Every structure is written in C-alpha cells, then in structure tokens.
Amino acid sequence: VTNANGTSNAVSLTVAQTIAPVVITSPVGGDIFLQGSTSTISWSGGTDQVHIALVEESATKESDVNALVIGWITTVGAPNGMLSWSAQEVCDVSGAVCSPVAPGNYKILALSENELGNAGIGDNGSGNWDVSDNSFRVAAAPSLTVVSPNGGEKLVHGNIVSIVWDA
C-alpha cells in the first residue's frame, strides 16, 4: 500500500467468518406433526446454508447420526431460520428422489455449512451440527368415511336420518 507521500507499507489482512453454532429450537420434544398440516421447524445459528434432515429417534450428539438420516427436508435453509413442513415426505440430498414419511417418532438434524461452504459430520462428530434433544411424533392425518347415507338415497325434508361413519 502506498500513501499520498509515496511511502510504501506492507499490509497484512486476515478475513475470518464467524461460526455460529447451529441449534435446533423447534420441535423441542413431545410435539405432534400431523401429516398434511403445516408444522414449524426452527433453528438458531449456522453459517451460510443450513441443511435440515429427519433422523431416527435414537440419534444423539454422541451417536453416528450419518447412519440415522432418513431423508432431507431442506438443504437451502438460512442461518437463524425456520421452515414449514407438512411431514409427508423427505428427499435425498439432491432433492431429486423423495419418499413418504411413515408415522412414528423422529428427531431433527440441523447441519450448517462451514466457512468453505462444505457441510458434513466427521467420523469423530466434528462439524457444526445439532440434533433435537427429544423426539417428536409424526401422526397420520385422521380420516373419516361416511357409511350411510352413501349416495342415491332420497331424503325427505323433516324426516330424521341417521348418519353412520367410520373414523
């Protein structure tokens, strides 16, 4: 760098990106995600993109969560973010192949990219990631089937008609 008087000085710069630990803030455990209804997943922290996955209920910070990933909910979350999820499907990491989610108990994994844009969990558990402390439940949407009247009946105004259904 040269100043106005023509004097040159060497300058050394260090550029650093702050790494904010990613932490799941919702669901916190005991929640019920009804398939087809909107439920919220949220997290604090993270750097660049945050990837959100559905993992088996047995996942912990001390376990090999790579082996417990059922599928990805999103791979394009922002730091300190949230998303709405219908609890119906998860996809592979590319988002190209998706599969339905079976009702059951699960946890959420949040995985943040590092300062180089890489996301991963090392064999020793290294990386910027978090897994829900407690599980939540994905429940099938309730269904209702009208048994009778089931079509074709002629109903007369003022008459009492029984309605029968299966739930």
Side-chain angles (χ1 to χ4, degrees), residues 144-151 153 161-167:
L144 178 73
T145 303
V146 176
V147 175
S148 122
N150 62 3
E153 295 88 352
V161 175
S162 293
I163 300 174
V164 180
W165 65 89
D166 287 331

Side-chain angles (χ1 to χ4, degrees), residues 119-150:
I121 300 172
D123 291 338
N124 61 355
S126 62
N128 188 1
W129 62 280
D130 188 34
V131 67
S132 309
D133 292 332
N134 299 297
S135 64
F136 67 97
R137 186 166 61 104
V138 171
S143 65
L144 178 73
T145 303
V146 176
V147 175
S148 122
N150 62 3

